[in-house]
Amino acid sequence: MADNDENTEDENSGGSSKKLLIIGLVIGLALGGGGAAAALMSGGGDEAAEKPPEKEAPAKHKIDIHFVKIERFNVPLVHKGRVLHYMMMDLSLEVDGNDNKLKIVHRMPAIRDAFLKDVTKKSLSDPQHPRIMDFAAFKKRFKNTANEILHEDLVLNVLIVNSAQF
């Protein structure tokens, strides 16, 4: 009988060892699997280490957009030497950087003068419809005239913010 008692104790201790081993493996797999899942969800892992470093694009000049407002700019629409009506506009000149903005503000009276002379010589009205202004031509001519007065291409774009006919 003593042999049976010893065998029973060995079986119980062996059974509990197996249970502990299985429980330890399950807990280890759960923690390891959970950690791996968390790493994959957060975007970590070895993928970043395996990718070769990307080549950096050459540095481009970033444009620092500023606007110069021109309020109540009056443009006559002339047809056959006669003023049909006036367009009153609010404009914004798009420039790169604060230094260029200051240059334009400083020269604004000369820019306005040159453009008024230009539009009085040659009308901005649509040839088929003399009472309608050609806005694309206006923007192009104003930009070119401003840049001529400034002796450099500082005006990037002319934006018509508001216009009214009277």
Side-chain angles (χ1 to χ4, degrees):
M1 283 239 191
D3 288 335
N4 280 344
D5 289 335
E6 286 177 20
N7 287 341
T8 310
E9 285 178 24
D10 286 339
E11 288 176 13
N12 287 343
S13 67
S16 65
S17 298
K18 288 180 183 177
K19 288 180 186 176
L20 287 175
L21 180 62
I22 292 172
I23 291 172
L25 285 172
V26 169
I27 291 173
L29 288 172
L31 290 176
L40 289 174
M41 286 182 171
S42 68
D46 293 335
E47 292 178 12
E50 292 176 10
K51 288 183 181 177
E54 295 180 16
K55 293 181 181 178
E56 293 183 19
K60 292 182 179 179
H61 171 70
K62 286 191 174 185
I63 295 178
D64 183 22
I65 299 293
H66 287 265
F67 294 96
V68 179
K69 291 182 181 179
I70 302 175
E71 295 179 347
R72 294 183 305 272
F73 188 79
N74 293 318
V75 179
L77 287 183
V78 182
H79 181 65
K80 295 182 181 178
R82 202 178 94 188
V83 175
L84 299 176
H85 59 266
Y86 288 89
M87 296 290 294
M88 185 174 68
M89 297 186 209
D90 293 331
L91 309 171
S92 280
L93 305 181
E94 186 178 315
V95 297
D96 180 16
N98 196 46
D99 292 340
N100 292 339
K101 178 181 178 178
L102 293 175
K103 289 178 185 178
I104 290 173
V105 169
H106 179 72
R107 297 286 296 158
M108 186 52 66
I111 292 170
R112 288 179 75 118
D113 176 64
F115 194 70
L116 283 173
K117 287 177 183 175
D118 180 58
V119 297
T120 338
K121 290 178 187 173
K122 185 179 176 199
S123 180
L124 282 166
S125 62
D126 186 347
Q128 268 63 30
H129 309 284
R131 293 191 165 274
I132 298 174
M133 180 179 216
D134 185 357
F135 286 103
F138 171 83
K139 291 170 69 167
K140 184 178 179 182
R141 282 175 59 185
F142 196 100
K143 177 183 170 185
N144 292 339
T145 301
N147 287 332
E148 283 176 20
I149 295 298
L150 297 165
H151 302 294
E152 30 181 342
D153 291 337
L154 299 181
V155 177
L156 303 175
N157 195 9
V158 177
L159 305 169
I160 300 171
V161 180
N162 189 15
S163 70
Q165 178 179 336
F166 63 98

